[in-house]
Amino acid sequence: MDKIHIEKGSVQETLIVPLYARKLCAEQFPSLYQDDYASMICDRLDYDFTKFRQKENSALYQFGGLEGAIREKDMIWEITDYLKKHPLAAVVNLGCGLNMTGRAADNGSCRIYNLDFPDVIRSRNEIIPAGEREQNIACDLNDFSWMDQIDASSGAVLYAAGVFHYFTTKQIRSMVVAMADKFPGGKLVFDTVGKFGLDVLMKGTLKNMGMNDVSGLFYVNDERDLEGWSYKVKLVSRKSYMQGYFSLDDPNIKGIHRFLAKLCDNLAKMYINRMEFTEEGEK
């Protein structure tokens, strides 16, 4: 099979950063995190990974990979938990990039939808074409017509990993209310950071995306910030991002990693939030 060339400075290259981070995490913390897909996808790419390999012994770089991988592991837990009661449900990846969370949580009968901007979906179709029971949808999440393409007749679990930070609070609230109307009985899972996390920890990432003004962007300091959006939306769970679901008990995790995990959870207020959408007639 021919390798797929990745051009420097392209959209495809921006997708490789979190992909390689997951590969690194699976290699360095194998008892904590497994990801067969990340390594497989990297092997398919014609790309010089030298700049990433040179950082692999850096504790901060290792933690960056660990952070993204733990977030994905948290999402997989939430998806599989929903599928226990709704095995035929739609599994909807909002802002998918090149992550394979849906397949990692696949129970063999659910339907998987991967949503992102058209240029990202073009790259995804080339690198990892949609599989059985899977559909890649090119869209702008702010154009709610994408919801009409989701078959949620047997339930829906929607999730956004590292995505909502790039939207305004008004946009997220409107999107969530629309999802609650469209997917009664469904569940939404997404990660958030607090104001400090947005202003300090994510400032560099946002700047690289061309977003110099972070005022108005979505952050959550307190669970009360997520309440009262709609009588159809209920916040049912809010767990710390790095330590709320799993213990960081891999022997390769250093003290600095555990310290940074506590810093992210407590100071940056990094959380995984679960919302449930009420069935028709419920209040």
Side-chain angles (χ1 to χ4, degrees), residues 24-35 73 250-252:
L24 174 65
C25 187
E27 292 171 349
Q28 297 193 335
F29 312 109
S31 68
L32 179 66
Y33 179 74
Q34 299 82 41
D35 190 332
K73 190 172 180 177
D250 189 288
N252 294 319

Side-chain angles (χ1 to χ4, degrees), residues 65-89:
L66 183 64
E67 179 188 339
I70 291 297
R71 178 179 62 201
E72 183 176 19
K73 190 172 180 177
D74 296 345
M75 295 289 172
I76 292 171
W77 188 97
E78 289 284 1
I79 296 167
T80 55
D81 182 63
Y82 185 83
L83 291 177
K84 290 175 184 177
K85 294 184 178 180
H86 307 84
L88 301 178

Side-chain angles (χ1 to χ4, degrees), residues 1-256:
M1 184 182 294
D2 293 337
K3 291 203 171 189
I4 297 168
H5 178 68
I6 303 299
E7 194 70 35
K8 294 285 186 181
S10 65
V11 171
Q12 288 179 325
E13 186 179 32
T14 66
L15 302 177
I16 289 176
V17 177
L19 170 68
Y20 193 85
R22 294 193 298 272
K23 175 181 180 293
L24 174 65
C25 187
E27 292 171 349
Q28 297 193 335
F29 312 109
S31 68
L32 179 66
Y33 179 74
Q34 299 82 41
D35 190 332
D36 297 332
Y37 295 110
S39 179
M40 176 189 69
I41 295 170
C42 286
D43 288 342
R44 288 204 59 206
L45 303 181
D46 173 20
Y47 182 78
D48 184 3
F49 290 99
T50 302
K51 65 181 181 181
F52 297 128
R53 295 192 184 103
Q54 291 174 341
K55 301 177 183 179
E56 287 185 1
N57 293 323
S58 163
L60 286 176
Y61 186 75
Q62 290 170 358
F63 181 75
L66 183 64
E67 179 188 339
I70 291 297
R71 178 179 62 201
E72 183 176 19
K73 190 172 180 177
D74 296 345
M75 295 289 172
I76 292 171
W77 188 97
E78 289 284 1
I79 296 167
T80 55
D81 182 63
Y82 185 83
L83 291 177
K84 290 175 184 177
K85 294 184 178 180
H86 307 84
L88 301 178
V91 176
V92 186
N93 189 348
L94 305 172
C96 59
L98 291 179
N99 79 57
M100 304 290 282
T101 315
R103 291 193 196 179
D106 187 6
N107 64 353
S109 59
C110 64
R111 293 177 301 279
I112 300 170
Y113 299 88
N114 302 303
L115 282 62
D116 216 316
F117 288 118
D119 50 0
V120 175
I121 292 299
R122 280 195 295 271
S123 297
R124 185 179 180 96
N125 285 335
E126 183 181 13
I127 298 170
I128 39 173
E132 184 184 6
R133 294 175 288 100
E134 187 174 12
Q135 183 178 347
N136 295 335
I137 298 175
C139 65
D140 180 341
L141 293 179
N142 282 317
D143 177 355
F144 301 156
S145 61
W146 62 262
M147 298 182 191
D148 296 329
Q149 300 185 58
I150 309 298
D151 179 0
S153 56
S154 297
V157 52
L158 306 100
Y159 60 99
V163 174
F164 283 0
H165 318 303
Y166 304 105
F167 293 77
T168 66
T169 299
K170 182 179 179 180
Q171 287 172 329
I172 295 300
R173 182 167 180 164
S174 296
M175 192 188 309
V176 170
V177 171
M179 284 191 280
D181 287 337
K182 188 70 175 180
F183 307 114
K187 178 172 84 169
L188 170 66
V189 183
F190 58 98
D191 61 301
T192 53
V193 297
K195 185 69 164 61
F196 175 83
L198 183 69
D199 289 345
V200 178
L201 300 183
M202 293 194 62
K203 190 173 184 179
T205 301
L206 292 167
K207 190 173 183 179
N208 290 337
M209 299 284 290
M211 303 175 72
N212 295 313
D213 182 11
V214 301
S215 61
L217 293 184
F218 182 57
Y219 68 86
V220 178
N221 276 335
D222 187 277
E223 66 179 30
R224 287 173 293 185
D225 297 339
L226 298 173
E227 295 175 345
W229 288 7
S230 165
Y231 74 88
K232 297 180 181 180
V233 178
K234 182 180 179 182
L235 179 67
V236 295
S237 176
R238 188 162 151 78
K239 297 182 181 180
S240 62
Y241 183 128
M242 294 296 298
Q243 304 168 100
Y245 289 79
F246 304 97
S247 172
L248 300 181
D249 56 0
D250 189 288
N252 294 319
I253 290 183
K254 302 178 178 67
I256 184 64

